[in-house]
Structures are given as C-alpha cells and as structure tokens.
Amino acid sequence: EKIDALDICFGNAPLDDLVKKHLNLNYDKDGTLAKSGKIDFALCDKILQNQIFHSKPPRSFDRSDFAKILTPITNLKINDALASLCYIHAKAVAISLEFFNEKPQEIFICGGGRKNHAIIDEMKKQLPNIKIRTTEEIHLNGDAIEAQAFAFLAIRKIKNLPISFKNTTGVSENSAGGVLYKN
C-alpha cells in the first residue's frame, strides 16, 4: 500500500570514472585497487557533511549531483581515492537508513557495485546489523536487474499505472510519466 524509497548516493559511477581517467581501465576489477588504498577519513567526513546526504526523503539524484561535491577526492592517489569513495558510499547508506524507523534486515546489491569487494566490505563494516548480499545470492542476475526494471516500468506506462511516486521521488502526485514513441 505504501512505498518508501529514496536515492542514496552516487553508486559505482565515480569509481569507474576515476579508473578510466587515471588508468584507462573500465572499472576496478573486484575492487582490488580500492582495497589497496587508504581512506582519507577527514576528507570523507567533510564531504559527508554536505546537505545532499542528509536531505529528507523523498529525494532523487542524478550522478551529476555529486560531481562538485566529490571533486576533492580526485586530488588523492587513485587507490586512496577509490577507497575513500567506497567509504563515502557505505556511510551514505548508513546515513540514509536513519530516516526510517524500521531498518532492513538485508540489503541486496546489484549492478557493477556488487562486483566491487571494497564497496561490499565497507558496507558490511558500516552496517554490521544488516546482512549485505549480492543479487546472485538469491538467484537474480545483477547485470539484468536495471534492464528488467525499465521493462517493468514500460509495461506500467503502457497500462497507465504510476511509475513515479510522491514517497519515492518527491513528485507532486503519483505519475505514469513519460511518453511512448513508436518507430
């Protein structure tokens, strides 16, 4: 009957961007580079004071919303920058969960971040009372979930059912959103 949700932070994208820019790699395989880095706790905690991490739900972000906020991270050595981003990511999840009276028992990670052991390990440290699992652990393909979600939203749109909700994105009223085009 009621959906509560919010965007939390930047996901894996800034990590991939840094690795591409500095090492010409598409991603940090298994989070190996991040795991070898040292977290700059002072810098991370300063970044985490930014209001974007503490704004009340509903809220919705775009990856560009974090570009300026994360700029100081780019001054660190690549491994330290990646480790620090993993820490910020995990802390952002912990901060966001403070908005809910009831905490989840489990969090399932999908997409590229689920393959980054540094992100997963940091989430386990920051959320010791919550089981952190990948979607594969419940027999779901973590690479396909986003595509499946958009297919689900498209079907809801075709049926004129809401895909955007007041309690999730902050729209003024639930909306079927978007326009369908035929080729």
Side-chain angles (χ1 to χ4, degrees), residues 20-82:
K20 185 68 168 175
K21 179 180 177 182
H22 292 280
L23 304 172
N24 200 31
L25 298 171
N26 291 325
Y27 59 95
D28 177 9
K29 184 169 174 47
D30 299 327
T32 304
L33 297 168
K35 286 180 82 63
S36 71
K38 291 187 177 151
I39 298 167
D40 186 328
F41 291 103
L43 177 60
C44 290
D45 290 340
K46 184 177 179 182
I47 289 169
L48 285 161
Q49 290 175 15
N50 190 289
Q51 185 56 38
I52 198 167
F53 296 105
H54 302 277
S55 59
K56 291 182 180 179
R59 64 185 193 199
S60 181
F61 301 134
D62 179 274
R63 71 183 279 183
S64 64
D65 292 331
F66 294 93
K68 185 175 180 181
I69 296 165
L70 297 176
T71 299
I73 293 284
T74 62
N75 296 323
L76 301 175
K77 290 190 289 184
I78 183 69
N79 297 30
D80 298 344
L82 295 170

